[in-house]
Amino acid sequence: MLAAVFLFCFASLLAAQEKIIKSHGFSEFGTLKYPEGFAHFDYVNPDAPKGGELSYAAQGTFDSFNPFTRQGRAAARAADQYESLLYPSYDEPAAYYGLLAESLEYPESQDWVIFNLRPEARFSDGTPVTAEDVVFSHNILLDQGLQSYAEAVRKRIPKAEALGPHRVKFYFAPDIPRRALITQVGGTPVFSKKWFEADPENRRLDKPRMEPGIGSGPYVLDSYDINRRVVYKRNPDYWGDHVNVNVGRNNFDTIRIEYFSDSIAALEAFKAGEFTFRQENNSKSWASAYDFPAIEKGWVRREELEDGNVPSATGFVMNMDRPQFQDIRVREAVQLAYNFEWTNESLQYGLFRQRNSFWQNSPLEAEGVPEGREREVLAALGDDLDPGLLEAEPVMAHTSRADRQTDRRNLRRAMKLLDAAGWAVGDDGVRRNAQGDTLKIEFLSDDPVMDRIVMPFVDNLQVMGIDASYNRIDNAQFTLRRRDRDFDMISSGYRTSLQPSTGLYQQYGTEAAAYSVFNPAGIHGPDIEALIDNIVAAREWEELSANTRALDRVLRAKRFMVPTWYLGKYWVAYWDKYAYPETLPPYALGIEDLWWADADKAAALVSSGALRQ
């Protein structure tokens, strides 16, 4: 008993002596670029004028202003009014600086963190942002938020406590990795406790509603016309214009979003000047549709701007809950039916590059035969790892002939795989298994732009004897079926970053695989889980990168996605009434918060008759 008392006292003494770090920001690795008291981010124009309107398009419909529920479709920018304690820098990965919080304190162990709120911070109704609001926000997200988020966070962050009106503490669970916990709570949106508790039944976080709620951000809802447009206006009493992370940002007086049923209709509206900024994602349109009179007269500018982010891991995703995709030979055969080279050259004007990796063109991309620390972490997976991965290069997207839609060599290889998997071709040319079940694959979409891309892929699947079909449905149906994972295949993907962390559990983790909206394939496994644990636990860049490369290698080997393409730049077109900083940051285009309206250019467009007032 005396020994136990002694050990307790000794541990308490060590805790009391542990160094407490106080800072204006937080970085997972290394030091912060910007020192305490910095005036503004390097990439902003601190003298950018305020005023004017930004207008752009959204596709589909909306029936809610609550972006935190699985039900309904939230309006564009519905979440933007909610600020967080910390705000990310756009020119350094995984670095965050105080927004609602002016500083934070934490021990070297990172067992907890305290945020000191700015006393001047206010919600849009003028009420102060307090520590109680932060605690309330954390708790309501656990009680009423997305299940995949709530389950992951509850295990790691069991308690939030208000220590005073402007001081809030988060406690982190023992025996779990500390990385990304501070940034997790620092990025939590902060809601008004008073607003939610005034009508708790009708203001639930897990139900759609047309009331926008109360946030502390620079913009508030001005007006809306359901399924047609949403307009946000600058809050004239916004509390935070003076904060260094906001200097040179949030420059427009109004932001208007026009809704369209598809991108083709939106492009025609842009040409007519119904909205004035467009970020293009259709290669055919970018290559051939920007030859209208406003371009020729210099009224509309067309630019390609560099994108320094890791490309999202997009492609044709297979639903791993479907029985036809349980055999990896079937999944590989489906991959072989897609002809990237022909698609890119014939349908996409040769503008894209083939994607292979989940961390394409980054230091986290697996390359060659695994060596060094990457090989060690893979070997440590033991029987959970396919041993062939230790001696082979990572799975790469196959190559195909660019001069024809059907690459016969690849299709022959694919059909042998299907034969070996027990899907034999019947007299009617359709493949069935020993039980007589037809090998069916329905490709689901809500975007007419995808028609010309997917249909040749479906044709190739049919040539192989697969009963393949393409079904384009409306936006609302597609949203519901995607959330419920009621599909065989869709065009989708996984967001990636240079600092992967706890979000990987929602994307690839075993526990959340059955319900996570961030894991369209439902992929998971003990090998994936162990590598995620290692990544989250990593305290050094070398450990993080080795385990992420290993995860990339494992994910690619599972063949649950047909990798398609990536661009590595932004395609933008805009009526010549906007300006942007001379040097844009590598990790954001920043149209809504770094660009600004040029009043003289806007007036010139009106006087010339190009645009209406």
Side-chain angles (χ1 to χ4, degrees), residues 335-350:
Q335 288 182 329
L336 288 165
Y338 175 64
N339 187 330
F340 166 78
E341 287 78 5
W342 178 85
T343 301
N344 191 41
E345 293 299 322
S346 301
L347 305 179
Q348 298 175 312
Y349 297 82

Side-chain angles (χ1 to χ4, degrees), residues 268-437:
E268 294 307 310
F270 173 74
K271 293 178 181 180
E274 292 183 30
F275 62 92
T276 52
F277 181 91
R278 178 171 173 81
Q279 185 173 342
E280 185 60 72
N281 58 10
N282 183 335
S283 57
K284 180 181 180 181
S285 295
W286 189 247
S288 63
Y290 286 85
D291 56 357
F292 50 97
I295 289 274
E296 298 167 1
K297 294 177 180 179
W299 293 342
V300 171
R301 295 179 62 87
R302 181 172 173 268
E303 298 185 64
E304 296 186 1
L305 302 174
E306 291 302 313
D307 180 3
N309 290 291
V310 181
S312 293
T314 55
F316 301 142
V317 176
M318 301 176 224
N319 181 355
M320 294 292 286
D321 293 337
R322 293 293 205 243
Q324 64 265 44
F325 295 131
Q326 297 306 301
D327 193 316
I328 194 170
R329 292 170 294 188
V330 173
R331 303 199 297 272
E332 183 176 358
V334 170
Q335 288 182 329
L336 288 165
Y338 175 64
N339 187 330
F340 166 78
E341 287 78 5
W342 178 85
T343 301
N344 191 41
E345 293 299 322
S346 301
L347 305 179
Q348 298 175 312
Y349 297 82
L351 295 174
F352 291 107
R353 288 178 281 180
Q354 174 74 70
R355 185 184 70 75
N356 293 290
S357 167
F358 283 76
W359 279 271
Q360 187 74 37
N361 284 3
S362 81
L364 304 178
E365 177 181 355
E367 295 180 323
V369 177
E371 299 176 346
R373 183 58 182 154
E374 182 190 350
R375 184 180 182 87
E376 291 174 1
V377 298
L378 285 168
L381 297 175
D383 293 340
D384 291 331
L385 180 75
D386 175 358
L389 296 186
L390 289 172
E391 309 301 332
E393 295 191 355
V395 169
M396 303 291 286
H398 60 277
T399 58
S400 303
R401 292 185 57 169
D403 60 344
R404 61 177 63 177
Q405 173 186 322
T406 303
D407 187 307
R408 294 175 182 172
R409 178 195 58 179
N410 284 336
L411 293 196
R412 284 195 297 268
R413 182 174 149 204
M415 288 188 284
K416 288 180 180 178
L417 287 167
L418 294 175
D419 291 341
W423 294 97
V425 179
D427 294 338
D428 56 359
V430 177
R431 291 185 179 271
R432 293 178 176 82
N433 60 15
Q435 291 74 42
D437 301 321

Side-chain angles (χ1 to χ4, degrees), residues 33-236:
K33 173 182 177 179
Y34 296 95
E36 185 174 2
F38 71 97
H40 55 77
F41 290 125
D42 289 346
Y43 49 80
V44 305
N45 174 7
D47 301 316
K50 305 288 186 183
E53 179 189 69
L54 170 67
S55 57
Y56 58 88
Q59 184 175 324
T61 60
F62 69 94
D63 57 8
S64 172
F65 281 97
N66 177 13
F68 301 99
T69 173
R70 281 172 53 94
Q71 300 179 24
R73 289 173 66 97
R77 288 183 58 93
D80 288 3
Q81 66 169 317
Y82 302 110
E83 294 182 307
S84 54
L85 297 166
L86 301 177
Y87 192 81
S89 167
Y90 295 161
D91 62 352
E92 49 183 330
Y96 300 82
Y97 296 86
L99 178 53
L100 288 174
E102 60 185 4
S103 66
L104 63 157
E105 306 166 29
Y106 56 93
E108 288 183 312
S109 64
Q110 297 185 22
D111 287 343
W112 50 263
V113 63
I114 292 174
F115 291 95
N116 299 299
L117 276 61
R118 299 183 191 272
E120 69 271 29
R122 293 289 185 276
F123 289 110
S124 59
D125 65 351
T127 58
V129 179
T130 69
E132 288 289 348
D133 294 304
V134 178
V135 173
F136 171 81
S137 303
H138 172 74
N139 290 333
I140 197 172
L141 281 165
L142 296 185
D143 294 339
Q144 300 178 17
L146 291 175
Q147 185 180 359
S148 57
Y149 171 91
E151 295 299 327
V153 173
R154 185 177 286 111
K155 291 180 178 179
R156 294 166 177 80
I157 310 165
K159 182 181 177 182
E161 177 185 14
L163 303 179
H166 301 110
R167 193 168 163 86
V168 61
K169 183 175 184 179
F170 290 90
Y171 297 84
F172 303 137
D175 302 322
I176 64 166
R178 293 294 182 245
R179 198 170 71 82
L181 293 178
I182 290 177
T183 53
Q184 172 80 61
V185 295
T188 300
V190 177
F191 311 128
S192 167
K193 178 181 179 182
K194 176 182 176 183
W195 185 85
F196 273 92
E197 291 187 341
D199 190 0
E201 289 304 313
N202 294 313
R203 294 175 176 174
R204 290 184 59 84
L205 206 62
D206 53 3
K207 299 293 182 183
R209 50 176 160 76
M210 294 309 294
E211 280 189 284
I214 298 294
S216 61
Y219 291 94
V220 295
L221 180 65
D222 181 47
S223 62
Y224 65 88
D225 186 351
I226 291 180
N227 297 335
R228 295 189 63 187
R229 75 176 51 85
V230 182
V231 180
Y232 299 93
K233 66 179 180 180
R234 185 200 312 281
N235 179 4

